DNA sequence: CAATTTCGTTGACACAGATCAACATCGCAA
DNA sequence: TTGCGATGTTGATCTGTGTCAACGAAATTG
């Protein structure tokens, strides 16, 4: 307890076993002793800052990363500086799973705000998961969950209009923040309108107009990054009632 | 060798170790003895027919499925008979990976043409993968590959126009058929225009018009399900040269 | 085999959302 | 403090693709 910086820095380096995220993250389902074995291979670095990269497209794959605090985006850059945003990652979420197959990163990961990140060397995680059945199981679950989540996004991009996309985005952020112990209705978005638009397959202007529309309809209050959801149920209704998939049939086949 | 039906039926029941797909499928990287252990848990059923379901949305998860011959689509049904197609699955591809996490299927899987399907009970596969490091590794790789593939689809749906989407679809089918030893330029599509449209986030009419346009431009010959790619390189160019991601920046940040 | 349904194609038209443009505001640097 | 690029908002306009409609051909049914 020499000074505040050191105290807060130590706080960031908290071990898995006392991390509040351990029910969302890799340690889920592991008993005390096993968590310690996992702890032994996890690297906890200095806080990362806005704009830092965890990895870039094309780099060799060595580690998975877990957001402990803050947020990260993954995206595919194009030569001319454009980019396609693939996802936003909140505390407890694993990043880099798509690189296991070819041992090469297919996208870049950039920190959106000051964040604490855990690095998990994959080779060692893989070895450990051979000896810890519940860790292997959790790995399968986390990989599967990622597939599920992307599947949901495919359905979103394949068959929903702009309003439904933004509503779905807000509800998703809200749900994920709530699970992590934050407010479900009052939060700061760490990503720009541009990034939201890219993620949702919409132009920036459309995103901006929709925020304004939702505001005018009394569904939320928004002032730049700060969002306060007033009618979360209404937003959920927009998401759920949108059953107008493109290809309807007279009868099920 | 009593009659032809029995011969061909036995042919379908070929073991993993002599299956031509084993370099794409679960056995990849396993040595002879390990493949036999895997063989012991794989179930090979009667041929499945067009319209058969491997599983339906909401059902409990027990097994993964692998296409041995033929093709399968996965999709999310909606009450009114509409559907969002999530993917088309060719020989060697695993189906059902999204269900591991919650032990429940989030989508339905329907056979598109007479197909041979291997069923792999997941519990037993998981147990086996604890004792066979290369099988565990292959599982991680296959799950990761699925994530990569869906990531590519997200980028496609998020930032490409109709022409690029159909070109990308045709190139993808072509590549995958080639890897499996089929012609890369001459094939039958087992899915309808409707299903292609749903998969690509386009209306049926748009898909139809694009086939006609590609035909008129001399890129391919098409007659209903039968497609002959004449200018595969041209189609690849359409896919690769489309760097007009929605959100461009003056400089990278 | 005719009857019926499904599927694919084509044309006319409409509209959601992209694009272009102008401007306000923010945040950072000097 | 001023300047300036990045970001966000709003309005006007354009356009790619969806929607609606009609029709022929193929597949399915009885």
């Amino acid at each position: 307890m020499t000074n505040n910086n050191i105290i807060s820095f130590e706080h960031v380096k908290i071990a898995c076993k006392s991390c509040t995220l351990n029910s969302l993250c890799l340690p889920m389902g592991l008993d005390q002793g096993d968590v310690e074995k996992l702890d032994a291979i996890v690297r906890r670095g200095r806080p990362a800052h806005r704009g830092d990269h965890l990895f870039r497209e094309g780099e060799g794959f060595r580690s998975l990363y877990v957001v402990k605090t803050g947020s990260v985006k993954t995206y595919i850059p194009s030569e001319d500086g454009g980019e396609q945003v693939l996802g936003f990652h909140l505390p407890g979420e694993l990043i880099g799973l798509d690189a296991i197959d070819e041992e090469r990163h297919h996208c870049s990961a950039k920190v959106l705000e000051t964040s604490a990140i855990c690095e998990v060397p994959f080779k060692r995680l893989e070895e450990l998961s051979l000896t810890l059945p519940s860790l292997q199981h959790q790995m399968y679950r986390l990989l599967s969950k990622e597939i599920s989540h992307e599947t949901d996004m495919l359905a979103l991009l394949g068959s929903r209009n702009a309003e439904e996309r933004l509503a779905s985005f807000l509800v998703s952020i809200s749900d994920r923040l709530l699970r992590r112990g934050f407010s479900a209705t009052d939060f700061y978005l760490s990503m720009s309108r541009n990034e939201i638009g890219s993620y949702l397959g919409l132009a920036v202007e459309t995103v901006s107009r929709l925020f304004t529309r939702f505001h005018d309809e009394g569904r939320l209050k928004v002032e730049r990054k700060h969002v306060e959801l007033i009618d979360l149920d209404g937003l959920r209704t927009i998401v759920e009632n949108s059953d107008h998939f493109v290809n309807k049939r007279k009868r099920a086949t």
Side-chain angles (χ1 to χ4, degrees), chain A residues 154-217:
Chain A
L154 288 182
L156 184 86
L157 294 179
S159 60
R160 305 220 153 147
N161 67 22
E163 181 183 70
E164 292 158 1
R165 292 181 199 193
L166 188 64
S168 171
F169 169 75
L170 291 169
V171 168
S172 167
I173 294 284
S174 167
D175 286 348
R176 286 150 77 197
L177 289 175
L178 185 64
R179 277 213 65 187
R180 284 154 184 81
F182 299 102
S183 167
T185 54
D186 193 310
F187 47 83
Y188 281 80
L189 295 171
S190 58
M191 69 293 291
S192 69
R193 300 285 190 271
N194 222 303
E195 289 163 337
I196 296 172
S198 173
Y199 178 60
L200 297 176
L202 300 172
V204 205
E205 295 90 332
T206 303
V207 174
S208 184
R209 276 185 255 267
L210 282 168
F211 269 115
T212 306
R213 193 205 298 176
F214 283 161
H215 185 109
D216 293 348
E217 293 170 348

Side-chain angles (χ1 to χ4, degrees), chain A residues 46-53 110-115:
Chain A
R46 312 190 112 274
H49 298 289
R50 175 171 177 78
D52 290 351
H53 273 88
K110 185 149 69 171
V111 173
L112 288 170
E113 62 191 311
T114 303
S115 300

